[in-house]
């Protein structure tokens, strides 16, 4: 039997994990920079949470969730996104009562969506997400956008455009919903069954339809921005004004509605034309969700956030961005006696804090030098019969190729000195 990883999942091999670690380190540094703390929520939640929060007419909920019954018959879902879990935990842990009114958190981890896999799209993928809960101010919307832009800048992702739009508050969305229904009503018989269903339950979702997206009624559909209430318009205008003052480039994309139901007011996406991703690829997106916390049982609490697909960030990053710095020393024993000696030595070196490895294969000098190169070892420590007898080690600087015989008892001092410790 040949086992294969399930479709849409990938193995991160040791040759690639250095790049992942680098990405994670950059993201954590940016989070520190913005005073955003990490929060970890479960990878699975009760299915009902996502139906509620993400919305039971969205594609994510109707088509893409990995749901199953546990042994007690409860419906459980592998999280398709992170915001719902954060909102649930925020309420459950009464974080709304914490002294600091604005809670700023981030998360990094696997998400699951049953989608057709392609480059940058998987069934198990990873998100870096940020949520800022508790304050309704447009300044916080901009704080999120700035942080998202800092990420693409730090990773040197090319040709990124910030797209923004506003869905407005409840009153705006109600007016828009009526306008959308009036617009689509005469076309209903030409639209798919799902769209007919969406028409009754949630007409906004007609705009995400993958079947009818080229139907002429889509392009001529009313725009959310034309139905904003006075308050919603003032909020959006302030966001735009702040971005202008900060010299942040953006486009107002009136077609941007996002595929999850919890959004209100500002929504945004970072779209890259970097050839490594393919033109028009969305690396991240987010927006405000002022109704979500209440929807999942908490007190009315505004929120705003965003998430990046980490696989997409990885694709766009240069391969030489890696945390795989190489080791300090590779120990090369020649012969059985030397191996015993090497094992003693490596233990002492590691205890001193050096990153080391040694040959466990029993190869000749040539083969061992190849490993030393592959591991990017700074020093090769060669131990043959004579070295064992005379209690010395041949220390080869792999960069300068200079080699010196060093007394074993002086080795640590010698390496410390060479490495400038
Ligand atoms: P989303 O737009 O559904 O938003 O996902 C955010 C990002 O996750 C996407 O822009 C994309 O880069 C990545 N992504 C989504 N699906 C996949 C997939 N199948 N394979 C690889 N990458 C994928 C959310 O999830 C919201 N929770 C974001 C948010 C946070 N809004 C407010 N706070």
């Amino acid at each position: 039997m040949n086992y294969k990883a399930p479709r849409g999942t990938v193995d991160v091999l040791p040759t690639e994990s250095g790049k992942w670690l680098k990405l994670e380190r950059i993201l954590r540094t940016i989070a520190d920079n913005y005073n955003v703390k990490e929060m970890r929520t479960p990878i699975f939640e009760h299915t009902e949470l996502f139906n509620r929060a993400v919305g039971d007419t969205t594609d994510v909920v109707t088509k893409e969730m990995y749901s199953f019954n546990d042994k007690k018959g409860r419906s459980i879902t592998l999280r398709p996104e992170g915001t719902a879990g954060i909102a649930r935990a925020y309420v459950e842990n009464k974080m709304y009562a914490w002294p600091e009114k604005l809670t700023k958190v981030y998360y990094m981890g696997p998400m699951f969506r049953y989608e057709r896999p392609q480059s940058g799209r998987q069934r198990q993928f990873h998100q870096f997400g940020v949520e800022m809960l508790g304050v309704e101010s447009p300044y916080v919307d901009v704080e999120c956008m700035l942080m998202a832009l800092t990420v693409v800048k730090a990773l040197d992702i090319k040709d990124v455009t910030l797209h923004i739009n506003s869905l407005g508050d409840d009153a705006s969305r109600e007016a828009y919903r009526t306008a959308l229904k009036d617009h689509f009503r005469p076309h209903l018989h030409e639209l798919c069954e799902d769209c007919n269903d969406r028409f009754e339950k949630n007409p906004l979702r007609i705009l995400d339809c993958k079947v009818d997206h080229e139907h002429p009624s889509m392009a001529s559909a009313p725009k959310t921005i034309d139905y904003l209430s006075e308050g919603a318009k003032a909020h959006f205008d302030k966001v735009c004004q702040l971005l202008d003052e900060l010299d942040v480039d953006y486009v107002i994309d009136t077609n941007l509605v996002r595929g999850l139901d919890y959004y209100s007011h500002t929504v945004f996406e970072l779209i890259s034309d970097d050839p490594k991703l393919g033109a028009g690829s969305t690396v991240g997106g987010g927006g405000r969700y002022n109704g979500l916390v209440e929807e999942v049982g908490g007190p009315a609490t505004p929120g705003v956030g965003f998430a990046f697909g980490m696989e997409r960030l990885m694709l766009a990053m240069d391969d030489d961005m890696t945390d795989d710095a190489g080791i300090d020393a590779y120990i090369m024993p020649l012969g059985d006696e030397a191996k015993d000696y090497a094992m003693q030595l490596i233990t002492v070196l590691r205890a001193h804090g050096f990153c080391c490895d040694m040959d466990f294969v029993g190869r000749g000098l040539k083969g061992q030098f190849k490993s030393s190169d592959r591991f990017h070892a700074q020093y090769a420590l060669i131990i043959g019969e004579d070295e064992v007898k005379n209690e010395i080690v041949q220390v080869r600087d792999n960069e300068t190729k200079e080699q010196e015989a060093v007394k074993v008892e002086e080795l640590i001092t010698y390496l410390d000195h060479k490495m400038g410790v």
Side-chain angles (χ1 to χ4, degrees):
M1 178 76 184
N2 277 333
Y3 294 106
K4 287 201 157 148
R7 192 165 138 76
T9 69
V10 296
D11 302 308
V12 174
L13 303 179
T15 40
E16 295 143 353
S17 53
K19 195 172 166 188
W20 274 96
L21 289 172
K22 174 88 175 179
L23 170 62
E24 288 163 15
R25 194 160 55 83
I26 291 173
L27 294 171
R28 288 184 200 281
T29 306
I30 295 172
D32 287 345
N33 195 228
Y34 278 79
N35 192 28
V36 176
K37 302 273 184 255
E38 187 174 11
M39 180 151 165
R40 301 185 187 190
T41 61
I43 283 173
F44 58 84
E45 298 269 1
H46 293 292
T47 303
E48 180 51 27
L49 173 72
F50 300 113
N51 293 348
R52 256 283 144 129
V54 175
D56 49 17
T57 52
T58 58
D59 275 1
V60 169
V61 167
T62 55
K63 301 183 180 154
E64 297 170 3
M65 292 212 301
Y66 279 91
S67 301
F68 57 95
N69 286 340
D70 71 6
K71 293 199 189 299
K72 284 257 168 76
R74 289 169 293 226
S75 182
I76 294 292
T77 293
L78 302 183
R79 62 183 185 189
E81 59 97 57
T83 314
I86 296 283
R88 194 262 317 132
Y90 180 84
V91 175
E92 189 169 343
N93 295 286
K94 298 192 174 56
M95 291 169 72
Y96 46 80
W98 286 12
E100 200 55 49
K101 197 166 158 61
L102 181 63
T103 300
K104 304 202 284 187
V105 296
Y106 78 91
Y107 48 89
M108 245 190 268
M111 308 287 161
F112 305 85
R113 294 185 194 178
Y114 190 84
E115 290 194 88
R116 201 168 53 78
Q118 58 184 56
S119 169
R121 193 201 288 157
Q122 292 168 196
R123 291 181 174 170
Q124 175 175 331
F125 63 101
H126 296 77
Q127 277 187 351
F128 167 71
V130 169
E131 313 295 349
M132 301 193 180
L133 295 121
V135 175
E136 188 162 359
S137 159
Y139 287 84
V140 186
D141 303 25
V142 174
E143 166 96 336
C144 277
M145 291 179 199
L146 291 175
M147 188 169 169
L149 286 166
T150 305
V151 169
V152 293
K153 187 152 178 243
L155 300 173
D156 200 20
I157 302 178
K158 306 280 174 347
D159 305 319
V160 177
T161 316
L162 171 64
H163 288 237
I164 67 170
N165 191 22
S166 174
L167 306 181
D169 51 16
D170 287 348
S172 329
R173 283 185 305 160
E174 201 42 54
Y176 181 62
R177 194 183 144 94
T178 309
L180 265 188
K181 285 185 93 166
D182 290 346
H183 173 77
F184 282 118
R185 195 170 288 110
H187 303 286
L188 271 181
H189 61 285
E190 297 150 11
L191 299 178
C192 73
E193 208 178 300
D194 279 353
C195 280
N196 275 267
D197 196 36
R198 291 169 183 134
F199 181 83
E200 290 307 333
K201 293 186 184 148
N202 190 355
L204 184 75
R205 295 276 74 94
I206 297 178
L207 301 171
D208 316 320
C209 183
K210 290 182 182 113
V211 180
D212 289 324
H213 68 280
E214 286 187 4
H215 190 278
S217 64
M218 294 289 176
S220 58
K223 312 289 183 209
T224 55
I225 209 153
D226 296 325
Y227 294 85
L228 297 185
S229 67
E230 221 172 282
K233 188 168 180 318
H235 186 101
F236 190 55
D237 287 347
K238 185 70 190 180
V239 168
C240 296
Q241 181 212 320
L242 290 170
L243 292 174
D244 290 337
E245 283 169 9
L246 288 157
D247 277 331
V248 173
D249 288 332
Y250 63 92
V251 292
I252 297 179
D253 178 350
T254 54
N255 291 322
L256 184 67
V257 293
R258 311 261 310 132
L260 313 166
D261 271 355
Y262 47 63
Y263 291 114
S264 55
H265 289 283
T266 321
V267 285
F268 64 98
E269 279 186 357
L270 290 165
I271 299 179
S272 170
D273 285 327
D274 190 316
K276 283 185 276 184
L277 287 164
S281 180
T282 304
V283 277
R288 189 159 269 292
Y289 45 85
N290 288 350
L292 177 61
V293 171
E294 205 173 359
E295 192 73 41
V296 301
T301 307
V304 55
F306 65 87
F308 280 102
M310 292 174 75
E311 280 74 10
R312 292 182 197 184
L313 297 178
M314 285 283 289
L315 276 174
M317 278 166 75
D318 274 342
D319 282 339
D320 55 15
M321 287 183 108
T322 170
D323 259 4
D324 201 346
I327 56 174
D328 298 321
Y330 188 69
I331 301 166
M332 299 170 37
L334 300 161
D336 283 343
E337 220 182 320
K339 255 196 212 161
D340 292 358
Y341 196 74
M343 199 93 213
Q344 299 276 339
L345 190 65
I346 200 168
T347 308
V348 174
L349 291 175
R350 283 177 176 155
H352 188 71
F354 290 122
C355 303
C356 324
D357 206 351
M358 65 179 262
D359 176 77
F360 289 101
V361 187
R363 290 165 304 175
L365 208 55
K366 207 169 144 206
Q368 296 200 33
F369 266 125
K370 279 196 180 146
S371 296
S372 172
D373 281 348
R374 272 196 291 266
F375 294 134
H376 304 293
Q378 227 175 318
Y379 296 94
L381 308 185
I382 306 149
I383 307 168
E385 264 175 45
D386 285 350
E387 281 73 23
V388 176
K389 211 182 311 154
N390 301 320
E391 297 191 354
I392 56 168
V393 177
Q394 299 292 338
V395 180
R396 183 179 194 263
D397 183 324
N398 279 336
E399 203 181 304
T400 63
K401 316 278 185 236
E402 278 165 20
Q403 190 168 312
E404 261 185 275
V406 178
K407 283 200 182 124
V408 167
E409 73 259 29
E410 287 167 12
L411 184 62
I412 286 183
T413 321
Y414 175 89
L415 290 176
D416 271 347
H417 176 71
K418 280 281 218 178
M419 298 196 322
V421 179

